[in-house]
């Protein structure tokens, strides 16, 4: 996935796993947050990495959810960002 593709889709929120098949999600998150057209899209990072809080902060993600996660908690996080929009 690329920022150009995200610009085309214009999602209300992005759930982004730190570990992607073609690289690390933190790089994509940084790209999203540094592009003027996508910086306002909330990004919630997911990961089983024990350092996900630090990874999310460095990546400028709006929030993170550690795996394994409670689905109700994930939905609450998502709902909070969607209500802001």
């Amino acid at each position: 996935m690329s920022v150009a593709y995200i610009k085309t889709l214009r999602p209300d929120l992005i759930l982004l796993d730190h570990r992607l098949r073609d690289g690390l999600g933190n790089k994509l998150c940084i790209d999203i947050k540094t592009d003027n057209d996508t910086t306002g899209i909330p990004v919630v990072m997911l990961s089983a990495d024990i350092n996900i809080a630090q990874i999310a902060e460095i990546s400028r993600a709006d929030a993170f959810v550690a795996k394994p996660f409670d689905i109700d908690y994930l939905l609450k996080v998502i709902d909070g960002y969607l209500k802001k929009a």
Side-chain angles (χ1 to χ4, degrees):
M1 182 164 307
S2 69
V3 173
Y5 184 65
I6 292 168
K7 287 180 186 183
T8 303
L9 293 176
R10 299 298 306 164
D12 293 325
L13 181 136
I14 298 170
L15 284 176
L16 181 60
D17 200 304
H18 170 60
R19 304 276 174 162
L20 299 177
R21 177 182 48 192
D22 58 350
L24 296 178
N26 62 320
K27 164 104 175 63
L28 178 57
C29 187
I30 291 168
D31 291 346
I32 292 165
K33 291 302 186 175
T34 56
D35 188 289
N36 289 336
D37 294 328
T38 57
T39 191
I41 300 171
V43 177
V44 178
M45 290 191 76
L46 305 170
S47 183
D49 192 302
I50 61 170
N51 298 314
I52 186 57
Q54 293 173 325
I55 293 166
E57 183 178 352
I58 292 167
S59 304
R60 300 173 56 185
D62 297 278
F64 71 91
V65 175
K67 293 180 182 178
F69 56 84
D70 177 73
I71 191 67
D72 292 326
Y73 175 72
L74 176 61
L75 292 173
K76 183 177 179 179
V77 171
I78 292 169
D79 191 49
Y81 282 99
L82 293 180
K83 283 184 178 178
K84 289 180 185 178

